[in-house]
Amino acid sequence: MTVLRSGSATDVGRVRTVNQDMPLERPNLYAVADGMGGHVGGEVAAKVAVETLARTFERTPSVEGLRVAFSEANAAVWQESQQNLDLRGMGTTLTAVALVGGPEGGDVLALANVGDSRAYVFSGGELIQITDDHSLAEERMRHGEMTEAEAAVHPQRHILTRALGVSSEVDADMWELELRTGDRILLCSDGLSNEVEVGQIEDVLRKVGDPGEAAQQLVDVANENGGADNITVVVVDVQVGEEGDGTQTRVTPLGLGTAAAAAGAASAGSVAAPAPENAGGSSGPPGASGPSRPGGAGIAGTNGAGSATASGRLAAPGDAHQTETVRTLRPDDTLAPGSRLAFGDEPSGLAETGPRSDEFFLGTSAVPVARATARVPPPPGPRRDDRPPPGKESRGARRRRLGIPRRVTFRVVGFILLVAAVPVGAYFALRWYAYDNWIVGAQGTEIVITQGQPGGVLWFHPKVVDHTGHTTTQVLPSAAAALKSGVQKSSLDSAKQYVASIVAAGTTSTTTTTTTTTTTTSVPGTPAPAGTPASTTTTTAVPAP
């Protein structure tokens, strides 16, 4: 029985703004996907590939089940890119290792790879690269057109010759691993292998025992070295091997798509002959040293399926050759960041400047090259649980199924409402201030009550709110003079009370003058006594109406 323990870490890096990598950790399945294809396409491609891989492999957890899972993951990404114009041309790398039952009843680890995400085995204190990068620079190196050191820094190292989801079929490299107790498997995107040297990776895997902490430290080192791409690392520890500590670590190639590629095409358009079994290889990161394929650290190839060469690279079976076409570019061709070669296009202006760009899928042309390849047949069709819902799927339903973030979220709506509340709140505050005042004044001879500030505030002008029915002739002259300039009050009720008080004061002003009544009796011819009033006069002043 084999017992595994795993840990993973992923980071957007220091240059990118979106993380298009996707790790996977299941009890018996581990994977790394590195998406490509625009702002959203890479994320979607990696997500669809990983989810389809896990769902399909769960139905048949075997070596053949992993092969079929890769095929269905490829079909799912391809189908999605054809249905959605926004995702057209997306793709992803995919490297996965799964714990499955072996032919003799024991446990083995099945490994599959498409693209330039890598799988390493750390055994006996040495890091051995198992997978081949499916990139143009690696292909040219394997064909003898450049050295391993040149391939490690060549601008064409980011141009992929194979990726998941860019066509209806895919070639997957596959191996069986029989690991011993204490061995570690490292799966990573090229954001790690392009930034961190083999020696640095070995130091971390040697010193850090916990797989999760080791994965995080490797991500940190990649960021310290530049972090030019998304970085994803999965570390799987073999806590108990199948036969205990004494078992020899073995790697069996089940079908390699690049390890037995033809060497040295003389020029563009020439056909390369099949390479000998010890041809091929791969590059490590800049400055890497030591073997990069099984053959060291106690790892042995298996009889009949492949052999470890003197250089430490794994040769492929001689009877598995299959013809496949790749594009051959001139040595001085370079690719501009952000560009992409379509099928049948000729390369132009390829120099890479600044931080490395995302991977590009190259496609195929008419230059045949012999390869040792395991052809993965396309699935007969999407399974019932992989198909979109019946009927025409709405755009919103597709976005939800793919996990694409909604454009309008509660956070966006809340932000919009907050921004809109500022001018609305300012309007109502200004309006309250402009009308929080009442003025008792006169319009002609009529006494009225006006609401608003004297002269108005901006576009808020005073307005008459009460015609009192009284005139300035009903109040005292002093009150009438005050009404001409306006008397301000704090409320409508106090304004009405003020009008009532000045009208009442005017109506109670009364002046009365009274004289004495005198009765005079006189005899004809007799003068009236001196000092006697001759008449009585009474005068009463009545206020004007």
Side-chain angles (χ1 to χ4, degrees):
M1 181 181 70
T2 301
V3 179
L4 304 177
R5 183 177 67 157
S6 68
S8 65
T10 185
D11 190 78
V12 71
R14 295 188 173 181
V15 175
R16 305 274 176 244
T17 58
V18 177
N19 192 348
Q20 297 184 329
D21 286 1
M22 181 73 66
L24 173 68
E25 286 185 271
R26 295 290 176 86
N28 62 338
L29 179 64
Y30 312 90
V32 167
D34 182 359
M36 61 182 184
H39 180 71
V40 177
E43 289 182 277
V44 174
K47 178 181 177 67
V48 171
V50 167
E51 290 180 351
T52 305
L53 174 78
R55 184 170 56 250
T56 306
F57 179 78
E58 186 177 1
R59 294 194 294 262
T60 310
S62 63
V63 174
E64 183 61 26
L66 183 62
R67 186 192 305 272
V68 173
F70 262 65
S71 180
E72 293 206 11
N74 177 78
V77 178
W78 168 255
Q79 180 182 16
E80 195 60 49
S81 68
Q82 299 306 301
Q83 292 179 349
N84 192 334
L85 292 178
D86 295 337
L87 304 177
R88 189 64 55 86
M90 70 178 181
T92 183
T93 70
L94 185 61
T95 301
V97 64
L99 181 63
V100 299
E104 300 178 358
D107 292 335
V108 297
L109 290 166
L111 173 65
N113 174 62
V114 171
D116 63 352
S117 294
R118 292 181 178 180
Y120 296 86
V121 169
F122 183 71
S123 180
E126 187 173 358
L127 188 68
I128 310 298
Q129 182 181 335
I130 304 299
T131 57
D132 285 294
D133 293 349
H134 299 150
S135 65
L136 187 59
E138 289 285 313
E139 300 285 357
R140 295 179 65 167
M141 183 206 71
R142 284 187 284 268
H143 303 152
E145 298 177 19
M146 63 178 66
T147 66
E148 185 172 343
E150 291 172 339
V153 296
H154 198 277
Q156 293 173 359
R157 69 188 184 277
H158 306 310
I159 306 175
L160 299 184
T161 56
R162 197 185 313 176
L164 208 72
V166 297
S167 64
S168 59
E169 298 182 20
V170 67
D171 294 331
D173 296 351
M174 296 195 68
W175 298 261
E176 277 188 2
L177 312 179
E178 298 178 44
L179 305 184
R180 60 186 179 182
T181 301
D183 287 349
R184 311 185 91 169
I185 302 172
L186 172 66
L187 307 179
C188 66
S189 63
D190 63 340
L192 178 75
S193 56
N194 286 335
E195 298 289 355
V196 185
E197 297 181 356
V198 169
Q200 291 178 291
I201 298 176
E202 288 177 340
D203 287 342
V204 173
L205 295 179
R206 186 181 301 110
K207 295 176 181 178
V208 182
D210 181 79
E213 294 180 6
Q216 185 60 56
Q217 283 201 24
L218 289 172
V219 169
D220 294 341
V221 173
N223 273 324
E224 291 172 0
N225 291 354
D229 197 4
N230 304 149
I231 312 156
T232 299
V233 178
V234 176
V235 177
V236 183
D237 287 350
V238 181
Q239 292 187 299
V240 177
E242 185 63 23
E243 299 295 336
D245 292 336
T247 302
Q248 188 179 34
T249 298
R250 305 175 71 86
V251 177
T252 305
L254 302 179
L256 303 179
T258 57
S267 62
S270 63
V271 179
E277 289 190 354
N278 62 350
S282 179
S283 66
S289 60
S292 59
R293 288 291 181 275
I299 298 181
T302 57
N303 295 331
S307 62
T309 67
S311 63
R313 296 186 176 89
L314 186 64
D319 57 353
H321 291 293
Q322 186 171 342
T323 299
E324 186 173 322
T325 58
V326 297
R327 180 190 303 280
T328 301
L329 302 183
R330 296 185 301 276
D332 56 346
D333 289 334
T334 50
L335 186 64
S339 62
R340 185 172 183 266
L341 294 179
F343 291 96
D345 290 346
E346 291 299 326
S348 60
L350 299 176
E352 182 180 21
T353 59
R356 69 167 297 275
S357 58
D358 285 334
E359 290 81 7
F360 311 96
F361 179 70
L362 177 64
T364 59
S365 68
V367 183
V369 176
R371 298 176 180 229
T373 302
R375 172 70 66 175
V376 180
R383 300 183 64 90
R384 180 174 300 275
D385 55 348
D386 293 334
R387 293 173 181 167
K392 185 176 180 180
E393 187 177 17
S394 66
R395 185 180 181 88
R398 182 182 294 113
R399 293 177 69 90
R400 287 191 296 272
R401 178 166 59 84
L402 296 176
I404 301 176
R406 294 188 303 170
R407 295 176 181 174
V408 180
T409 63
F410 289 110
R411 181 176 298 179
V412 173
V413 173
F415 177 76
I416 294 174
L417 292 178
L418 179 62
V419 172
V422 174
V424 172
Y427 169 84
F428 282 104
L430 185 62
R431 186 177 183 275
W432 172 83
Y433 169 76
Y435 289 122
D436 188 33
N437 188 57
W438 284 261
I439 303 173
V440 181
Q443 286 187 350
T445 61
E446 183 184 13
I447 300 176
V448 296
I449 300 176
T450 303
Q451 184 180 9
Q453 299 292 340
V457 177
L458 296 179
W459 56 87
F460 299 106
H461 303 290
K463 56 185 178 180
V464 176
V465 294
D466 189 14
H467 294 271
T468 63
H470 299 288
T471 64
T472 56
T473 60
Q474 295 179 263
V475 300
L476 298 176
S478 60
L483 292 176
K484 291 182 179 180
S485 59
V487 179
Q488 298 187 38
K489 296 297 178 180
S490 60
S491 67
L492 181 60
D493 288 341
S494 62
K496 290 180 178 181
Q497 292 175 3
Y498 174 75
V499 172
S501 65
I502 61 175
V503 170
T507 58
T508 57
S509 175
T510 303
T511 302
T512 304
T513 303
T514 304
T515 59
T516 303
T517 300
T518 304
T519 302
T520 304
T521 303
S522 62
V523 176
T526 305
T532 302
S535 62
T536 302
T537 303
T538 303
T539 303
T540 304
V542 179

